[in-house]
Amino acid sequence: MGRRRSTMTHTGGHVVSRRPEYRASMIRRVLEGGADYQKHPLRVQYAGPVFRHSLDIGGHGQALRQYTQVGAEILNASGPRADAEVLSLCVNALSSLGIGDHRLVLGDLELVSHLLTSLGLSERAMAFILGSMQDIARGQEGRGAVEERAAQLRL
């Protein structure tokens, strides 16, 4: 998982990064690592620049943006104890950096998908909402961009 900043052209003509985010590469490596990686709970961490397509400031075009992604995961373990360990690590890391006034926001796309399905929305509408989660999370500030895209797509 070395630093690669080169890009490639994806189907549809979009230029994308060869290393969009760490998590998928990390999970692929664990799965390809065989039984040694899959026997016990495996604690992994990653940090560094990642690249993602996002709408530009005006919401009219796309831009390739660089973010710093920091992550910690426990693989081959589940349940409240594993979740608590990772959340505790997050809180302790922020506190050790002197960031005392912080809050953690947890998201679960599976839960959101179930909610949208229960509302009887079309696949197209659900895909639009899931793709707009960053703007939706911005509340009133992101509402205009979501409404404008919905109108353009005739949703």
Side-chain angles (χ1 to χ4, degrees), residues 4 11 13 26 33 45 50 64 75 77 102 104 118 124 131 155:
R4 288 187 274 168
T11 14
M26 182 264 314
Q45 59 80 30
V50 295
L64 185 62
L75 303 173
H102 55 268
L104 298 178
S118 73
R124 186 169 177 246
L155 286 174

Side-chain angles (χ1 to χ4, degrees), residues 50-97:
V50 295
F51 305 89
R52 184 182 311 153
H53 275 285
S54 60
L55 291 176
D56 65 11
I57 302 281
H60 301 292
Q62 287 199 359
L64 185 62
R65 302 208 188 276
Q66 179 176 333
Y67 298 87
T68 298
Q69 182 180 23
V70 177
E73 315 229 8
I74 302 176
L75 303 173
N76 304 322
S78 62
R81 183 168 281 196
D83 293 341
E85 182 178 335
V86 172
L87 292 173
S88 175
L89 178 66
C90 294
V91 169
N92 290 334
L94 292 170
S95 296
S96 71
L97 292 170

